[in-house]
């Protein structure tokens, strides 16, 4: 058993921000289920949204966020986050994130543009912002004597009052049971406060831009422990993922459209966004552009559409998108002379564990920040580059609340160790692979960009069958990382489908042919365990 002051589960933007903001006063342990840089943060391309352009205002950013979110956002939360963006960028720059500076040589950062933003607002490091942020955060955390970074530690379940040796009934979270990949054993990590920063559940879908580990572990753990989960039907599909037979999840940043990229139907050779959103064209919010591409693909029987920025010239393209340009060249695609084949793919989990403005969940001692959470910022559809921003603001807010209420947080009591006495080693690993693939396939086909009640019911039916199978398997065999993830993937799929069936309207990312119009007033879907 290992005890610390504060336990952070996740080493991405949200987790490391929380850790760095706590470490001057407390001992902080950060767990990651693989390498420290394996979350979505390191893969972020476009950048971080902040009001920095002369003439832009917080009100504009708030308004753009609310328009993208189809009115479901919590305006107070949107204001809270947007107003903290410029300071968050400054702190990252102080940590050494080498943001691109303005091209005119004057002071200030270079700002690029993305869909749904009425102004240039995206601070970035070329087209690989997340990597630069992740490297700077890890470097700072490694240098801090009070932070212990523990990679290869897969959290299984939260340790709660149910696991106390002497049951208190208080409902607290005291830490987590986690599988140590190096020893193959389950360890107990306890703390006064636990911050969930485990990212999203994108891998519930066959095609996703998210990394392999985005299996909704934190959402599933919090749900099993008794926390409310909200708005899981709003899974965001990014319009432009590379279409390639071998490389399935490479994102083509929205900034390509922001800098003039056009979407073309490869069969007609025509730009098609004017038919779907005549004013905003390729820079309409993501749900609008993804649905337009989906409609073109279905109508014309296409495998993909084209994204073309070659008219901006080779120097411009190479200077703005060096990472994407190099990656595509390696695959035989030259974006300086021709179009890029693209399709929509799952990209972001707008829903998650319900948190308040301090990052507090329903459970005493448990906080959540970043993509695992539902703070009220994104509403029914996240505005581009608001996600990293949320990680910084809520990572800091959770840390501030833990510090402020430290004396009221009781130290963890004695907790039961993990019990393996009634399980054996699995003799049928194939079950895990089969179920994993099946979930991702039916989620893609039945719970995708355009939904119907019948398809959702089909998915719900399959989930029910798989739940019995996976529960049986989990009850009989020793845990492995794959089994832990499968259980969480299935739990996340169940929450998504249940939420989607509950919403009898189309709003933002949830579009169903059976209820094509929005119903006013907008309401969150809140699931209570
Ligand atoms: P992550 O960075 O995903 O980190 C999750 C952490 O939790 C990891 O350390 C992981 O190991 C750990 N973890 C998970 N499960 C467990 C477990 N069971 N046990 C232990 N540890 C666990 N957003 C923007 O704002 N701007 C962008 O330009 C942008 N581009 C993107 C591009 C891509 C390709 C993708 C996929 C996303 C992009 N996003 C972008 C979204 C953004 O990157 C993420 O929402 C954000 O990075 C999430 O950060 P996080 O800290 O919440 O989680
Ligand atoms: C992108 O670069 O297109 C991703 C931005 C985001 O997800 O916010």
């Amino acid at each position: 058993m290992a005890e610390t002051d504060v336990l952070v589960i996740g080493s991405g933007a949200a987790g490391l921000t929380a850790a760095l903001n706590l470490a001057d006063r407390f001992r902080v342990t950060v767990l990651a289920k693989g390498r420290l840089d394996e979350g979505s943060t390191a893969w972020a391309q476009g950048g971080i949204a902040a009001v920095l352009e002369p003439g832009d205002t917080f009100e504009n950013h708030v308004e753009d966020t609310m328009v993208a979110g189809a009115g479901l956002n919590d305006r107070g939360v949107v204001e809270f986050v947007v107003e903290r963006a410029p300071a968050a960028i400054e702190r990252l720059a102080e940590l050494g994130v080498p943001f691109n500076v303005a091209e005119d040589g004057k002071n200030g950062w270079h700002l690029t543009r993305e869909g749904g933003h009425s102004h240039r607002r995206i601070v970035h490091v070329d087209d690989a912002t997340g990597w630069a942020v992740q490297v700077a955060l890890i470097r700072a955390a490694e240098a801090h004597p009070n932070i212990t970074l523990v990679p290869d530690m897969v959290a299984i379940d939260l340790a709660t009052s149910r696991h106390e040796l002497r049951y208190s009934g208080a409902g607290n979270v005291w830490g987590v049971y986690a599988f140590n990949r190096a020893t193959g054993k389950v360890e107990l990590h306890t703390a006064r406060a636990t911050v969930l920063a485990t990212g999203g559940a994108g891998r519930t879908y066959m095609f996703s831009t998210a990394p392999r580990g985005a299996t909704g572990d934190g959402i599933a753990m919090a749900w099993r422990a008794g926390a409310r989960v909200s708005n899981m039907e709003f899974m965001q599909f990014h319009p432009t993922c590379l279409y390639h037979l071998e490389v399935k999840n490479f994102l083509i940043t929205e900034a390509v459209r922001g800098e003039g990229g056009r979407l073309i139907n490869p069969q007609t050779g025509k730009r098609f966004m004017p038919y779907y959103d005549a004013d905003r064209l390729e820079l309409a919010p993501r749900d609008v552009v993804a649905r337009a591409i989906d409609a073109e693909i279905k109508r014309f029987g296409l495998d993909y559409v084209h994204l073309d920025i070659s008219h901006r010239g080779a120097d411009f393209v190479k200077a703005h998108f060096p990472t994407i340009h190099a990656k595509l060249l390696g695959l035989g695609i030259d974006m300086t002379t021709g179009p890029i084949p693209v399709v929509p793919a799952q990209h972001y989990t707008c829903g998650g564990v319900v948190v308040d403005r301090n990052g507090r969940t329903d459970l005493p001692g448990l906080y959540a920040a970043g993509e695992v959470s539902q703070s009220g910022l994104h509403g029914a559809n996240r505005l581009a580059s608001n996600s990293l921003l949320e990680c910084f603001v809520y990572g800091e807010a959770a840390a501030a609340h833990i510090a402020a209420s430290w004396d009221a947080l009781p130290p963890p009591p004695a907790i039961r160790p993990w019990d393996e006495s009634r399980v054996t080693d699995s003799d049928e690993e194939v079950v895990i692979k089969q179920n994993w693939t099946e979930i991702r396939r039916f989620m893609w086909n039945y719970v995708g960009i355009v939904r119907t009640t019948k398809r959702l019911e089909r998915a719900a039916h399959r989930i029910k069958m798989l739940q019995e199978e996976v529960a049986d398997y989990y009850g009989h065999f020793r845990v492995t990382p794959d089994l832990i993830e499968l259980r969480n993937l299935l739990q996340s799929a169940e929450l998504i489908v249940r939420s989607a069936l509950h919403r009898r309207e189309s709003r933002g990312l949830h579009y169903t042919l059976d209820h094509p119009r929005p119903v006013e007033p907008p309401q969150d879907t809140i699931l209570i365990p």
Side-chain angles (χ1 to χ4, degrees):
M1 192 193 97
E3 188 177 331
T4 184
D5 292 337
V6 183
L7 183 68
V8 176
I9 311 176
S11 59
L16 291 182
T17 301
L20 288 166
N21 279 279
L22 284 159
D24 287 345
R25 268 187 69 190
F26 307 107
R27 290 172 302 145
V28 185
T29 298
V30 181
L31 311 184
K33 70 173 163 182
R35 285 199 329 261
L36 296 172
D37 60 7
E38 266 180 14
S40 293
T41 297
W43 290 26
Q45 292 185 351
I48 306 159
V51 171
L52 294 166
E53 189 184 56
D56 194 6
T57 61
F58 289 146
E59 290 73 42
N60 290 336
H61 191 175
V62 169
E63 213 44 50
D64 292 346
T65 302
M66 302 280 302
V67 169
L72 194 64
N73 329 57
D74 177 331
R75 182 176 279 273
V77 167
V78 180
E79 288 166 356
F80 173 72
V81 174
V82 160
E83 287 168 13
R84 281 159 181 75
I89 301 291
E90 280 314 310
R91 276 193 291 278
L92 288 167
E94 282 161 20
L95 283 182
V97 179
F99 291 120
N100 290 30
V101 291
E103 277 159 2
D104 60 10
K106 292 189 195 143
N107 286 335
W109 310 119
H110 177 262
L111 303 172
T112 189
R113 191 165 186 167
E114 289 182 345
H117 287 277
S118 56
H119 285 258
R120 283 190 171 266
R121 203 175 273 152
I122 318 297
V123 184
H124 62 110
V125 182
D126 295 331
D127 53 354
T129 311
W131 182 251
V133 168
Q134 182 77 72
V135 166
L137 290 172
I138 291 178
R139 201 191 305 123
E142 280 173 343
H144 205 296
N146 278 349
I147 298 182
T148 306
L149 297 167
V150 188
D152 289 326
M153 191 65 72
V154 191
I156 305 170
D157 263 322
L158 295 166
T160 65
S161 281
R162 273 180 268 169
H163 305 97
E164 292 166 356
L165 271 183
R166 290 165 64 99
Y167 180 66
S168 72
N172 286 58
V173 168
W174 301 118
V176 76
Y177 294 100
F179 178 89
N180 183 332
R181 288 183 197 260
T183 62
K185 298 271 175 240
V186 177
E187 299 175 2
L188 175 61
H189 292 258
T190 58
R192 281 203 203 191
T194 300
V195 182
L196 270 181
T198 45
R203 285 292 174 133
T204 37
Y205 284 85
M206 195 70 173
F207 302 103
S208 169
T209 63
R212 160 86 175 59
T215 47
D217 297 3
I219 297 169
M221 284 192 286
W223 172 257
R224 285 194 294 266
R228 284 173 307 158
V229 164
S230 167
N231 289 354
M232 287 298 289
E233 66 274 38
F234 299 118
M235 293 303 270
Q236 184 172 71
F237 292 81
H238 196 292
T240 57
C241 179
L242 175 69
Y243 174 85
H244 192 274
L245 294 182
E246 272 131 49
V247 180
K248 303 275 186 218
N249 63 350
F250 186 67
L251 180 74
I252 309 295
T253 175
E254 191 146 333
V256 170
R257 280 174 282 130
E259 296 297 344
R262 296 168 188 157
L263 288 164
I264 314 275
N265 180 320
Q267 210 173 88
T268 62
K270 281 201 182 134
R271 191 176 178 186
F272 56 82
M273 277 314 292
Y275 304 119
Y276 295 91
D277 196 312
D279 294 331
R280 296 174 295 183
L281 301 164
E282 280 84 358
L283 289 180
R286 272 182 199 166
D287 56 331
V288 177
V289 182
R291 267 199 302 279
I293 297 176
D294 187 63
E296 287 290 296
I297 286 177
K298 290 198 171 120
R299 192 158 150 236
F300 289 84
L302 308 170
D303 288 329
Y304 53 81
V305 297
H306 276 150
L307 173 62
D308 192 2
I309 190 165
S310 57
H311 55 277
R312 296 295 316 253
D315 289 345
F316 179 90
V317 171
K318 281 194 253 180
H320 281 77
F321 307 109
T323 317
I324 296 175
H325 174 251
K327 172 86 178 177
L328 294 182
L329 266 192
L331 297 170
I333 301 165
D334 186 350
M335 68 188 285
T336 66
T337 56
I340 310 164
V342 292
V343 283
Q346 191 288 338
H347 180 65
Y348 185 79
T349 308
C350 291
V353 183
V354 176
V355 290
D356 69 8
R357 206 100 40 107
N358 296 308
R360 269 187 305 182
T361 71
D362 294 334
L363 308 178
L366 183 67
Y367 294 74
E371 196 170 337
V372 67
S373 67
Q374 204 289 90
S375 65
L377 174 64
H378 306 307
N381 175 35
R382 172 175 70 94
L383 181 66
S385 288
N386 266 356
S387 164
L388 284 171
L389 176 58
E390 183 188 41
C391 294
F392 305 125
V393 173
Y394 273 86
E396 193 178 331
H401 192 269
I402 291 169
S405 40
W406 187 250
D407 293 337
L409 290 168
I415 302 287
R416 284 200 306 271
W418 187 253
D419 179 8
E420 282 197 328
S421 58
R422 280 166 296 174
V423 292
T424 57
D425 282 328
S426 154
D427 53 359
E428 274 201 286
E429 288 292 318
V430 67
V431 173
I432 294 182
K433 190 153 186 251
Q434 162 63 28
N435 286 347
W436 178 286
T437 312
E438 194 175 334
I439 295 167
R440 298 183 68 210
R441 195 180 295 279
F442 71 65
M443 287 299 285
W444 182 258
N445 288 328
Y446 295 160
V447 197
I449 297 173
V450 177
R451 301 166 177 176
T452 66
T453 303
K454 203 166 182 177
R455 285 185 213 151
L456 293 175
E457 281 168 349
R458 285 208 168 103
H461 180 64
R462 277 172 174 67
I463 287 170
K464 198 158 181 286
M465 286 183 341
L466 289 177
Q467 271 175 328
E468 281 169 28
E469 199 169 307
V470 171
D472 184 56
Y473 197 92
Y474 186 79
H476 286 93
F477 298 118
R478 235 169 234 120
V479 289
T480 61
D482 284 350
L483 176 56
I484 295 165
E485 289 187 335
L486 172 67
R487 180 172 173 243
N488 293 329
L489 199 76
L490 186 57
Q491 182 60 74
S492 301
E494 199 254 336
L495 295 169
I496 296 166
V497 172
R498 205 196 299 184
S499 305
L501 276 167
H502 184 79
R503 187 168 290 282
R504 300 228 160 93
E505 63 162 350
S506 289
R507 181 179 297 277
L509 295 159
H510 177 71
Y511 184 79
T512 164
L513 296 175
D514 294 309
H515 307 282
R517 302 204 182 291
V519 177
E520 301 305 335
Q523 280 184 350
D524 288 326
T525 306
I526 298 181
L527 301 180
I528 302 171

